[in-house]
Amino acid sequence: MKKWNWWRIAKPDRYASILLDWQSAERVTGLSDGNTVSPWADLSGNGRDATQATDSLRPTYQTSELGTLPVIRFDGTDDYLELGAAGWLAEGTTTFSIFVVYRITQTTAENMLLSSSGNPATAAGAFIDYRGDTANDQMDSRVGNGTSADSLSTNTTSASGTHIYVFQRDGTNVEGWIDGTAAGSVTDNALNFNTTNQLRMGAQSPTAGVYLNGDLAEIFILGASLNIDTRHHLSRQLGRKWRIAYTL
């Protein structure tokens, strides 16, 4: 059987039909260490580049941060990128899988990694949030319809270092994993989380008030849930690439 590596193929045939968005710091070109980033190109072929019109609000490109690999660094004050109105994430699908490779700098603060709503229980949308402020190093992920939300809040194994977080909705459960270790599971109530809010990297949406003080290395979003073998396969590939210990 021919082998391939996820990060070396721009649009792998096996997942092309469900790949909604993909950004990787390793694939950024034309920038030097410390340059601001916009756009962060979408490698899925769907044209969902992550952009920021205001230069002072852009994250920066940092070289040789994870071994020889670069990261996109958010300052925790006002940096963020936008992926367009977030309806594309919810429209036509009841399932999704989101993979995020991240590193938190300010581990005692709240850090928003990805968001289309500040509170999905009161405004439809979803978010992935790290809570180091009052919740003792938790990953807090939610998807909701503006009236109620399916929420995961699970203590992380370690606040420091680089991690792979997977947030998945499969029609039965909403689940999370940190470096392959289960990080919560609740019943999937099939809540409609469609919204016209921007899907943001590094800040709460639509009103920025919580930011990311840390790094994003890679994000990809699939419009389907994955079986355990596929999820492990993709996570292992990310772990090998970004030098993250991954637990089966």
Side-chain angles (χ1 to χ4, degrees), residues 84-91 115-118 123-126 144-145 192-199 205-206:
W88 59 265
L89 177 57
E91 186 175 356
S115 170
S116 64
S117 171
N145 62 4
N192 183 353
F193 64 107
N194 200 354
T195 178
T196 58
N197 291 344
Q198 289 283 323
L199 181 61
S205 178

Side-chain angles (χ1 to χ4, degrees), residues 6 21 28 53 57 114 142 148 153 159 177 188 201 217 230 235:
W6 169 269
D21 178 71
V28 171
L57 304 183
L114 194 67
R142 307 181 190 186
S148 60
S153 295
W177 296 267
D188 182 357
M201 292 180 181
T230 303
S235 296

Side-chain angles (χ1 to χ4, degrees), residues 127-139:
F127 69 58
I128 298 175
D129 189 23
Y130 166 86
R131 297 296 304 269
D133 51 347
T134 60
N136 191 27
D137 302 336
Q138 288 187 335
M139 290 301 293

Side-chain angles (χ1 to χ4, degrees), residues 102-159:
Y102 69 94
R103 179 170 62 181
I104 303 297
T105 299
Q106 185 59 41
T107 58
T108 58
E110 182 177 5
N111 289 265
M112 189 66 72
L113 279 68
L114 194 67
S115 170
S116 64
S117 171
N119 183 357
T122 59
F127 69 58
I128 298 175
D129 189 23
Y130 166 86
R131 297 296 304 269
D133 51 347
T134 60
N136 191 27
D137 302 336
Q138 288 187 335
M139 290 301 293
D140 181 5
S141 301
R142 307 181 190 186
V143 55
N145 62 4
T147 301
S148 60
D150 297 332
S151 304
L152 300 178
S153 295
T154 303
N155 290 350
T156 66
T157 54
S158 174

Side-chain angles (χ1 to χ4, degrees), residues 42-238:
D42 175 16
L43 303 171
S44 74
N46 292 315
R48 296 188 174 108
D49 294 348
T51 63
Q52 172 54 259
T54 303
D55 187 69
S56 63
L57 304 183
R58 294 172 179 169
T60 57
Y61 177 73
Q62 303 290 329
T63 60
S64 301
E65 285 290 328
L66 300 178
T68 61
L69 296 178
V71 297
I72 308 302
R73 178 156 297 163
F74 295 77
D75 67 5
T77 301
D78 55 11
D79 290 354
Y80 65 93
L81 297 171
E82 295 185 328
L83 288 155
W88 59 265
L89 177 57
E91 186 175 356
T93 181
T94 58
T95 62
F96 61 74
S97 302
I98 302 174
F99 291 70
V100 183
V101 180
Y102 69 94
R103 179 170 62 181
I104 303 297
T105 299
Q106 185 59 41
T107 58
T108 58
E110 182 177 5
N111 289 265
M112 189 66 72
L113 279 68
L114 194 67
S115 170
S116 64
S117 171
N119 183 357
T122 59
F127 69 58
I128 298 175
D129 189 23
Y130 166 86
R131 297 296 304 269
D133 51 347
T134 60
N136 191 27
D137 302 336
Q138 288 187 335
M139 290 301 293
D140 181 5
S141 301
R142 307 181 190 186
V143 55
N145 62 4
T147 301
S148 60
D150 297 332
S151 304
L152 300 178
S153 295
T154 303
N155 290 350
T156 66
T157 54
S158 174
S160 62
T162 308
H163 302 282
I164 304 165
Y165 183 68
V166 182
F167 184 37
Q168 180 168 284
R169 178 184 186 182
D170 67 9
T172 301
N173 297 302
V174 177
E175 299 175 279
W177 296 267
I178 301 170
D179 303 334
T181 299
S185 178
V186 297
T187 299
D188 182 357
N189 290 298
L191 303 174
N192 183 353
F193 64 107
N194 200 354
T195 178
T196 58
N197 291 344
Q198 289 283 323
L199 181 61
R200 287 181 172 170
M201 292 180 181
Q204 182 176 297
S205 178
T207 302
V210 180
Y211 294 90
L212 168 62
N213 190 332
D215 305 327
L216 294 178
E218 189 154 357
I219 291 180
F220 56 85
I221 302 173
L222 303 168
S225 60
L226 304 177
N227 62 38
I228 188 171
D229 290 337
T230 303
R231 176 169 51 79
H232 279 323
H233 170 74
L234 293 177
S235 296
R236 281 197 304 268
Q237 295 285 50
L238 288 172

